[in-house]
Amino acid sequence: MGRLFGTDGVRGLANRDLTAPLALDLSVAAARVLAEAGAFEGHRPTAVVGRDPRASGEFLEAAVVAGLASAGVDVLRLGVLPTPAVAHLTSALDADLGVMLSASHNPAPDNGIKFFDRSGYKLADEMEDRIEAVVGGAWEPPTGAGVGRVRDAYGAVEQYVAHLLSTVPVSLDGLRVVVDCAHGAAATVAPEVLRRAGADVVTIGAAPDGLNINEGCGSTHLDALRAAVREHGADAGIAHDGDADRCLAVTASGEDVDGDQIMAILALELRAAGRLAADTVVATVMSNLGFKNAMRDAGLKVVETAVGDRYVLEAMKEHGYVFGGEQSGHVIMLDHATTGDGVLTGLHLLSAVARSGRPLDELAKVMTRLPQVLVNVRDVDRTRAKTSPEVAAAVAAAEAELGDGGRVLIRPSGTEPMVRVMVEAPTHDEAKAVADRLAEVVRSALG
């Protein structure tokens, strides 16, 4: 069996890779490992379980709940709600463990399981390794009064909504907003939060049927949002993914605002409020050079990490930073959340518009996004991507050609026999030409 846990929990094709027996075994293993680590010492353990609206989430939720209860953990079923809501409520409800069933932006047939500790943070790699090591192993289950009890706590989402609203003192009164919920976990929560914040809200992608999550909508498909913003004369559009830990935006004229631009806007807001620790933003190596230039020009420092919100969060916690994220729209505001929260991000982005009295397209001009071309070179030996002299020479030549006006990143895939070639340049044509040339060198040297 290969490693179960990836960078964001256990994920795969539901009922094929991620089965009910595996979900049950994972939950039992998590309860056992946490008990052995002393997390339940002196009290009866409690877990909260939430899910997005995928059809497979129904049977996987049942399996997770059964596994936890059979291991002596009382379970609160939260129902359908965003991943960051589960993270928040794990702590707010004083639970020992949080479990979310979602495959985020993946299509409906996929699903996943992620665990949160009692503080609302994703479990550390070391804990995931320990869980994986005991999955399916022999154990002595409790009986009688020792088994866990199960009850529904669907109303607990109100605590999450109230928390989000408490983070922004500025009313959104006068703003018309279209929110695309990706037929996902935020279908109820996101429109409710924005309305209660004062916005005039138009909702799309808010009719989940278990099979249509992320289908032609949400943060990975912005066409529907662009059209709706124009149709309704909205001031802005907000797009979430299936579990609402991402947020992208669209201006009144239909221009995209990606995660880098959102981070740039919010970083300046935080700095102006005196709440940007060490005047530093944490971002990944995939953030656009335009973002880094904008932060430098504003006198802010950017700390780079590997790709993945897990690594952004690790750097933030280690060094005491409070703000970071990814180009994909995972934005972490550590003063208010323990993970990327798309609803929180959208609320603060719109608050920046309301507070400043300036339209979103004007705020987004804080950075100039350089054209970025990404080429995936498949079926090559990714392990030699960083050691090949041919690749190194080609990268050095490309960097010399681009100078300060561009950037090259050669990144081996963490899961596939593939190398990603990313180039930024002043024009798309220049970026594409350099990327294609580098891709050929990678293909020839590593194939």
Side-chain angles (χ1 to χ4, degrees):
M1 179 176 64
R3 190 174 194 275
L4 290 174
F5 285 93
T7 57
D8 199 20
V10 178
R11 191 177 295 186
L13 182 60
N15 223 24
R16 186 77 55 78
D17 304 315
L18 181 56
T19 63
L22 177 57
L24 188 147
D25 287 345
L26 277 165
S27 302
V28 168
R32 290 174 58 197
V33 166
L34 288 171
E36 291 167 1
F40 304 157
E41 193 169 341
H43 67 281
R44 188 176 175 91
T46 301
V48 296
V49 178
R51 64 182 179 88
D52 71 23
R54 293 165 206 268
S56 62
E58 297 168 4
F59 77 77
L60 289 172
E61 177 193 56
V64 166
V65 170
L68 292 170
S70 74
V73 179
D74 291 338
V75 180
L76 301 178
R77 280 190 299 224
L78 302 176
V80 174
L81 74 180
T83 290
V86 173
H88 174 76
L89 291 171
T90 302
S91 175
L93 297 176
D94 198 27
D96 301 285
L97 177 67
V99 187
M100 179 66 184
L101 294 155
S102 176
S104 190
H105 59 283
N106 285 24
D110 292 342
N111 216 321
I113 300 177
K114 60 185 78 175
F115 295 104
F116 296 95
D117 67 21
R118 63 178 302 108
S119 298
Y121 291 106
K122 293 175 185 176
L123 289 187
D125 289 348
E126 181 264 337
M127 291 298 288
E128 290 182 344
D129 290 341
R130 290 172 63 183
I131 291 169
E132 188 162 329
V134 302
V135 167
W139 66 297
E140 180 106 12
T143 59
V147 302
R149 306 300 296 271
V150 181
R151 61 187 174 93
D152 295 332
Y154 300 146
V157 69
E158 174 59 29
Q159 290 181 239
Y160 171 65
V161 170
H163 164 68
L164 293 180
L165 292 169
S166 73
T167 68
V168 285
V170 179
S171 170
L172 304 186
D173 186 48
L175 288 182
R176 170 169 282 191
V177 180
V178 179
V179 57
D180 184 345
C181 303
H183 295 308
T188 300
V189 169
E192 176 70 10
V193 167
L194 294 176
R195 288 192 184 103
R196 285 168 57 174
D200 174 14
V201 181
V202 177
T203 304
I204 64 173
D209 62 10
L211 302 174
N212 59 0
I213 189 169
N214 299 315
E215 190 175 88
C217 58
S219 61
T220 52
H221 303 89
L222 293 178
D223 288 347
L225 181 60
R226 295 187 199 100
V229 166
R230 294 191 187 100
E231 177 187 351
H232 295 280
D235 297 289
I238 297 294
H240 300 302
D241 61 337
D243 70 336
D245 63 356
R246 295 187 185 195
C247 172
L248 296 181
V250 168
T251 69
S253 60
E255 295 297 314
D256 296 353
V257 180
D258 69 10
D260 285 338
Q261 292 166 296
I262 291 172
M263 285 197 295
I265 293 168
L266 295 185
L268 296 183
E269 287 287 301
L270 287 169
R271 198 263 300 273
R275 293 190 290 114
L276 185 64
D279 283 348
T280 297
V281 182
V282 181
T284 77
V285 294
M286 288 301 290
S287 274
N288 194 276
L289 181 59
F291 168 75
K292 296 163 189 172
N293 290 341
M295 294 297 92
R296 179 200 63 207
D297 294 345
L300 302 182
K301 180 182 176 184
V302 176
V303 170
E304 285 190 354
T305 74
V307 175
D309 62 321
R310 166 185 292 266
Y311 304 112
V312 172
L313 181 59
E314 285 177 359
M316 292 171 68
K317 291 172 65 180
E318 181 180 354
H319 300 289
Y321 304 132
V322 298
F323 185 68
E326 297 186 279
Q327 189 182 68
S328 61
H330 278 116
V331 176
I332 303 173
M333 306 183 74
L334 210 50
D335 282 344
H336 307 303
T338 56
T339 186
D341 189 329
V343 182
L344 177 73
T345 300
L347 185 61
H348 278 257
L349 180 64
L350 294 170
S351 295
V353 173
R355 186 202 62 76
S356 67
R358 298 161 61 196
L360 180 57
D361 58 357
E362 186 177 326
L363 292 181
K365 290 176 182 175
V366 66
M367 65 165 278
T368 300
R369 187 168 48 195
L370 269 68
Q372 187 179 83
V373 172
L374 178 65
V375 179
N376 293 324
V377 186
R378 300 182 181 276
D379 300 320
V380 294
D381 182 1
R382 69 179 188 272
T383 63
R384 295 195 296 117
K386 295 183 178 180
T387 60
S388 165
E390 295 91 344
V391 172
V395 168
E399 289 176 336
E401 177 184 339
L402 294 169
D404 293 336
R407 186 168 67 109
V408 173
L409 178 65
I410 304 291
R411 185 169 70 89
S413 169
T415 58
E416 302 176 73
M418 176 170 69
V419 172
R420 305 185 194 280
V421 177
M422 190 276 287
V423 176
E424 292 169 347
T427 69
H428 179 271
D429 288 346
E430 186 176 358
K432 186 175 187 309
V434 174
D436 288 343
R437 190 165 69 242
L438 286 172
E440 282 303 314
V441 173
V442 169
R443 195 172 289 112
S444 173
L446 309 181

